[in-house]
Amino acid sequence: MSEIDEIIESGMVFRGAPKPKADDGKVKTKAKKKKYITGAHGSGSAKQKAKYRQQRANRKK
């Protein structure tokens, strides 16, 4: 039986588009990583931002 005959008898089956990967709602930016937030990885901007976060946290105490 040829492919054409098979298609005529059983019809065509389409796979459909691939589904997008489920987003866990996690943000995957370096600004959200613990080392960056605490300024532990050594970047000057990370240290400055960590300082600002600490000041903001102490402001409410």
Side-chain angles (χ1 to χ4, degrees):
M1 197 180 249
S2 72
E3 286 184 39
I4 305 271
D5 292 332
E6 221 173 283
I7 291 172
I8 291 171
E9 283 185 21
S10 59
M12 292 181 77
V13 179
F14 294 96
R15 281 190 331 172
K19 300 200 188 285
K21 292 184 180 180
D23 187 22
D24 298 340
K26 296 179 182 174
V27 179
K28 296 180 180 176
T29 62
K30 69 179 181 181
K32 296 292 181 183
K33 293 181 179 176
K34 187 174 191 311
K35 278 190 168 189
Y36 193 81
I37 289 173
T38 58
H41 82 297
S43 160
S45 63
K47 288 179 182 178
Q48 189 68 32
K49 287 178 183 180
K51 185 178 114 182
Y52 291 147
R53 283 189 187 96
Q54 191 63 44
Q55 287 174 350
R56 192 178 318 125
N58 289 337
R59 203 180 306 155
K60 294 177 184 179
K61 289 182 180 180

